[in-house]
């Protein structure tokens, strides 16, 4: 399901033991990030996840205050701080989905993609998915997370994929920079991505 299968008539959603829905089945692992085992690979995953969020945010005119590969006060392993107003559901939803989609694309490119790691990426994006549902409810946007092929998360991911494809070199450059410093401020983000950043 990593390529989304937008033309498919049915989705491949599976329910995890805690009630969370994922495309890839839940493996028998002790922790969400266990499929990465290699700590360096997990950090690169985090850098691509956050870089995806950043690029998607910048392309819809949001500001990026900072991006970090360190635990946030809220307990998130990696995080991006954005600012500004969002006017279109598809823009903000794509921004939220861009993290998991960028991480998945990167894994495929380096030949390290496995169903277990794809599941880990999905579970790591649980808060992004929840925020999309909350935002849709707040603005009155019809959104059925499990709907397929349109109206649900599969459609949102297709929007994110389009943005990432158009700016993949920027995603890669930002992910590389994050690996070197673990934290980037608004000015660094603008310089590395060569995109306007409303937070500067």
């Amino acid at each position: 399901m990593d390529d989304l299968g937008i033309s498919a008539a049915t989705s491949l959603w599976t329910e995890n033991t805690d009630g969370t829905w994922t495309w890839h089945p839940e493996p028998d692992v002790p922790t969400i990030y266990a499929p990465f085992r290699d700590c360096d690979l997990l950090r690169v995953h985090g850098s691509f996840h956050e870089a995806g969020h950043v690029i998607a945010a910048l392309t819809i005119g949001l500001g990026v205050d900072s991006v970090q590969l360190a635990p946030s006060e809220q307990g998130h392993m990696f995080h991006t701080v954005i600012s500004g107003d969002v006017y279109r559901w598809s823009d903000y939803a794509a921004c939220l989905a861009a993290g998991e989609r960028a991480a998945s694309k990167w894994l495929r490119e380096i030949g390290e993609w496995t169903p277990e790691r794809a599941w880990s990426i999905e579970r790591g994006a649980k808060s992004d998915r929840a925020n999309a549902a909350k935002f849709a409810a707040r603005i009155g946007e019809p959104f059925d997370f499990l709907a397929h092929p349109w109206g649900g998360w599969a459609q949102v991911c297709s929007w994110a994929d389009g943005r990432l494809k158009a700016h993949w070199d920027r995603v890669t450059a930002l992910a590389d920079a994050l690996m070197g410093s673990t934290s980037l401020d608004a000015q660094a983000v603008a310089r590395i991505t060569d995109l306007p950043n409303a937070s500067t």
Side-chain angles (χ1 to χ4, degrees), residues 29-70:
V29 293
T31 65
I32 290 174
Y33 291 113
F36 279 92
R37 294 184 187 92
D38 183 323
C39 289
D40 286 339
L41 200 62
L42 178 58
R43 288 189 72 248
V44 184
H45 152 257
S47 71
F48 271 89
H49 180 110
E50 297 309 322
H53 284 317
V54 169
I55 297 303
L58 294 177
T59 60
I60 65 173
L62 287 173
V64 175
D65 300 343
S66 66
V67 55
Q68 299 182 18
L69 293 187

Side-chain angles (χ1 to χ4, degrees), residues 50-64 80 82-83 85-88 90-99 158-171 174 189-190 193-199:
E50 297 309 322
H53 284 317
V54 169
I55 297 303
L58 294 177
T59 60
I60 65 173
L62 287 173
V64 175
T80 297
I82 61 175
S83 59
D85 296 319
V86 180
Y87 299 101
R88 291 187 359 157
S90 59
D91 285 343
Y92 189 55
C95 181
L96 290 167
S158 73
W159 294 333
D161 287 350
R163 291 184 181 277
L164 294 172
K165 182 177 180 180
H167 298 279
W168 189 244
D169 288 346
R170 289 183 165 105
V171 173
L174 190 64
V189 166
T193 63
D194 194 29
L195 288 171
N197 184 356
S199 293

Side-chain angles (χ1 to χ4, degrees), residues 10 22-24 44 51 74 98 101 109 113 118 121 162 164 178 185:
T10 61
T22 55
W23 281 315
H24 299 88
V44 184
Q74 293 76 31
R101 299 306 297 164
E109 287 193 348
W113 187 96
I121 287 171
L164 294 172
L178 268 173
D185 62 16

